Amino acid sequence: MSADKFERIDRLPFEKVFKDPVHDYVHVRHKIILELIDTKEFQRLRRIKQLGTAQFTFHGAEHSRFSHSLGVYEITRKIVDMFERNYPKEWDLSMRLVTLCAALLHDLGHGPFSHTFEKIFDTDHEAFTTDIILTEGTEIHEVLSRVSPDFPNQVASVITKEHKNPQVVQLISSQIDADRMDYLQRDAFFTGATYGAFDLSRILRVIRPYDKGIAFQYQGMHAVEDYVVSRFQMYMQVYFHPASRGMEVTLDRLLYRAKQLYQNGELYPAFPLLEPFFKEDYTLDDYLRLDDGVIQTAINLWTTSDDAYLSELSTMFLNRRPFKSVAYQKGQDEPIIEKLQDIVEELNYDKEIFTRINSSSDLPYDYKLKSKTPIHLMYGDGTLVELSEASPIVRSLSGNLHGDHRLFVPKEFLEGTKENQEVSMFQEYYDEFQRYIKNDRINDPSKKQ
Ligand code: ZN
């Protein structure tokens, strides 16, 4: 049976809705979508927070990958419904089901604190997403295979951008796709950072299919421009926040230390759920057992570790005491950064564990890179103009990386301790460290040349 035939017999007798704070309701009228949501692999996304360590800066940001995935599905459904109504010639009706399934499942392979976890254990959430879809035996694969034996492959090919229909690929993954539109709105809502908001309903009115992909009617330019600017501001103000990155570094060093101890046969208390990853010999099932709660339980246990580094880092993470940072200019401040790292070593601390460089960078928009599909506006006569050509605001953000480079160290190195507080293990060296910080421009961006 072809996917469009399947789609016609797959209708639920009554539309099912999920109440959502961002989109009001998420509407489901296909049985298969409901069955995918009910799989154990999809339900696992309830136990993984969307923003990882950003919750330690923006305490409202506790929303899950589950709610984001439903949101991406809902935005895609609205777009597909509108394409079916208004562009029946330009939009292939048989693409409905594969597009909705790919939207729903695009983040299926995310694990707990993905970005940090992936760095330490060399895992890849995108590879896990396709694995879960393609591996016989997962509930997701079983549900998708009911459409047709090849349907899991089709859904996976949208997510890996190999699907032959550029409209479908661009709806799920491009510089203005349903994924980004949902996470910007959702993250703005839950962090309370209102500058992430933009006029989504206007964008959903002016988006349109054409033979090479997706474009936006020219009269919607300011809504699209506002989306690009909102995204830029969310990166600068929320995603790259130094305190969230300080917690990320704390977690990163903690997992690094735990792995190191395990490999030396010295990790106590043991933590069986993470052992396959310490051994770098894991299966998909091992991965699917992980979630935020598992990682937090391990960290809780390790606060009692005999290893001073592991117990200190675990206590820091559990009680929200992030590494603190100094920003520096790449290409000119490296000597002082190395000196700062050497001081940590001279104090007899392992600089691999107690110092970490963390760089953030984002390209708000680009139209020259081959890997990036430009955003196109379409005039009434069907001719296209690339967004930065029409919008001076977008032009000023185009092609430039934004972000910073920071050296992170435990707080005591940078701030010392107050009188009457417990004496810091760094106290006697605090002044020496401060001398380097205070005498150099790196702690004060206004002194940068
Ligand atoms: Zn996503």
Side-chain angles (χ1 to χ4, degrees), residues 22-90:
V22 176
H23 306 302
D24 193 13
Y25 285 109
V26 173
H27 301 78
V28 177
R29 60 173 200 256
H30 299 293
K31 234 189 290 171
I32 186 176
I33 296 293
L34 210 53
E35 286 168 359
L36 289 171
I37 293 170
D38 284 340
T39 59
K40 63 180 181 195
E41 295 90 9
F42 193 83
Q43 289 293 318
R44 166 183 164 274
L45 299 177
R46 289 183 186 271
R47 307 193 297 274
I48 294 168
K49 291 194 181 80
Q50 172 76 4
L51 285 185
T53 58
Q55 64 183 292
F56 295 106
T57 309
F58 300 92
H59 64 258
E62 297 213 350
H63 52 301
S64 66
R65 299 250 176 222
F66 179 90
S67 65
H68 162 64
S69 299
L70 284 188
V72 177
Y73 156 82
E74 176 62 10
I75 289 178
T76 308
R77 183 201 63 80
K78 283 186 177 138
I79 296 171
V80 168
D81 280 1
M82 191 271 270
F83 284 2
E84 287 177 3
R85 285 197 308 273
N86 297 335
Y87 301 100
K89 278 194 211 119
E90 293 85 349

Side-chain angles (χ1 to χ4, degrees), residues 68 106-107 179:
H68 162 64
H106 77 285
D107 273 347
D179 180 24

